[in-house]
Amino acid sequence: MPSIFSKIVKKELSCFKVFEDNKHLAFLDINPNTKGHTLCIPKKENEYIFDMSETEFINLMKFARVVAKGIEKSIKCSRVAVSVVGLEINHTHIHLIPIKSMKDVDFNYKVSFSEEEMINIAKKINDSITY
């Protein structure tokens, strides 16, 4: 059964796209911990990150690094935290969370933004990415 992320890749569902290449997609989390909270996924459906081939895993991490560097340039934060949980959606995804403190990685703490703000955040990060 296709995941919600596969439907986003196929453009059956919309997202606030941050960046993409031919094998990966980055988009804003719609239930973010912080401003700029971004998800990086492989376009090829895969349920568990450690079931990916070594090459696929390394390429996803390289992609996430490119996106994280864009986040660092565009969102005021101390660091960009990386989290891979893998329980909430059956499609490999990496959370990139701009943080100022440890509470920012608490998935029980959420912030919200209007659609216009989300569009602007995604564009700001995209404009800061050098690939």
Side-chain angles (χ1 to χ4, degrees):
M1 178 175 190
S3 73
I4 191 169
F5 292 164
S6 293
K7 291 178 180 183
I8 290 171
V9 169
K10 293 176 186 172
K11 298 183 178 20
E12 294 170 5
L13 293 174
S14 63
C15 70
F16 298 101
K17 182 170 63 170
V18 169
F19 187 64
E20 74 178 312
D21 66 16
N22 60 342
K23 294 188 179 194
H24 309 95
L25 177 64
F27 52 93
L28 295 180
D29 191 312
I30 60 168
N31 196 20
N33 289 29
T34 63
K35 178 180 179 179
H37 181 166
T38 301
L39 302 175
C40 294
I41 67 167
K43 290 182 178 179
K44 175 183 170 188
E45 192 167 302
N46 180 57
E47 285 190 25
Y48 181 52
I49 194 165
F50 296 120
D51 286 342
M52 297 173 78
S53 74
E54 183 175 344
T55 300
E56 290 170 328
F57 175 82
I58 290 168
N59 288 336
L60 177 60
M61 295 306 280
K62 285 180 179 179
F63 177 81
R65 182 179 185 275
V66 167
V67 175
K69 293 291 186 185
I71 292 170
E72 287 176 337
K73 290 177 191 172
S74 60
I75 303 293
K76 188 174 179 176
C77 61
S78 299
R79 305 252 164 130
V80 175
V82 177
S83 178
V84 178
V85 181
L87 295 176
E88 60 282 4
I89 295 182
N90 288 331
H91 190 123
T92 296
H93 57 288
I94 297 172
H95 293 264
L96 299 177
I97 308 169
I99 62 170
K100 294 178 185 168
S101 72
M102 287 299 291
K103 83 171 177 54
D104 294 334
V105 291
D106 180 348
F107 283 90
N108 293 310
Y109 177 78
K110 300 293 179 181
V111 295
S112 62
F113 301 94
S114 70
E115 182 174 347
E116 183 178 343
E117 288 172 311
M118 294 287 274
I119 291 167
N120 291 334
I121 293 165
K123 182 177 180 348
K124 187 175 180 182
I125 296 170
N126 178 273
D127 289 347
S128 298
I129 291 176
T130 332
Y131 191 63

